[in-house]
Amino acid sequence: MRLLAIETSCDETAAAVMNGTQLLANTIATQEIHQLYGGVVPELASRAHVQRLVPIVQHTLSQAHLALTDVDAVAVTYGPGLIGSLLVGVSFAKALALQLGVPMLGVNHMEGHLFSTNLKPAGPEPPFLSLIISGGHTILTHVREWGQYEILGQTQDDAAGEAFDKVAKILGLAYPGGPAVEKLAATGNPQAVQFPQARLKNTPDSPRQRFAFSFSGLKTAVLYYARKLSAAELEKQKADIAASFQFALINALVNNVALAHEQFPTQAVALAGGVACNKTLRHAFSQFSASRGLQLHFPEPIFCTDNAAMIARAAQFHLANGKRSPLTLAPVPGLVLS
Ligand code: KG4
Ligand code: ZN
């Protein structure tokens, strides 16, 4: 089955073509306009999707050496995400499926991230623990089976990527902040400032928050520390602050996964989402996994950040199991993983 997948949940306009589980083409157009505003401007994101989606799909099909009429099914992200952005992708996918007379499937963006580690052959097989760390989400999931997810903990305030982006702003770095903070941190001392480890608010009575995350305290601690410095001192200490912040955030993530793994002793742990590009984080998780004899999986950086290949991979699983969406499908901005 030749599957065309569309992803427009935030500020990436993306399309991918997959045949079986083989990825034939993958295109991602990042909307750079948001850099001017230091964050995603929803109205501009929707407009850019409207302008770009058709050429991106045409380009992706030509990369796969396919014509539009060769497409056997259409998959699209229908949530979570920005409503205007989701509407562009969902409306486009429905129109295409209607015109071609092929099945259409709405995919949960977070489930796409879960499948992103399985775009290559030797990905993790359930049961495993997956940590999705992105700009909008921090979710620790026990993947019991593909399609059966038990959320063990989520952030109670800022997402891990959001904390990177906000700290980047405090340090005067460009958006998106994660890569900029990582680059600066590489030249700093992670022990220079003892920032508080992100506080865990485990609530055993709420299954979805047994292993909760919290990063706003850490971000505020960085803000207060930076505020006390003169411009010249801040410039001098910037790299140390970035390294110390990154150290505290990564430690909090590893510690929570370590706690969860004691209750859910799976053979494998997977990382996904934009923050999983971070090399220091990958190294910390490699050390943790080695210490417990676990397999560690993470996607190539291009499949960590938002992309349509992961949407295609998730859709491929569900379509093979007979799942279809009606052409009345509506986007769900707050869609949860279930
Ligand atoms: O998964 P993603 O592309 O979008 C969402 O679904 O949110 O993640 C984007 C987030 C941004 O917050 C960005 O700053 C962060 O991932 N990020 C990083 C790195 N690369 C991207 N954070 C830390 N280190 C990185 N190298
Ligand atoms: Zn994402």
Side-chain angles (χ1 to χ4, degrees), residues 109 113 134-136 161 164-165 176-179 182 273-275 277-278 304-306:
H109 179 83
H113 277 300
S134 69
F164 267 100
D165 295 336
E182 176 177 23
V275 183
C277 292
N278 189 290
C304 284
T305 47
D306 288 348

Side-chain angles (χ1 to χ4, degrees), residues 117-140:
T117 44
N118 291 63
L119 284 162
K120 53 185 180 197
E125 282 309 322
F128 66 94
L129 291 183
S130 175
L131 179 65
I132 303 173
I133 27 181
S134 69
H137 297 89
T138 305
I139 306 182
L140 178 60

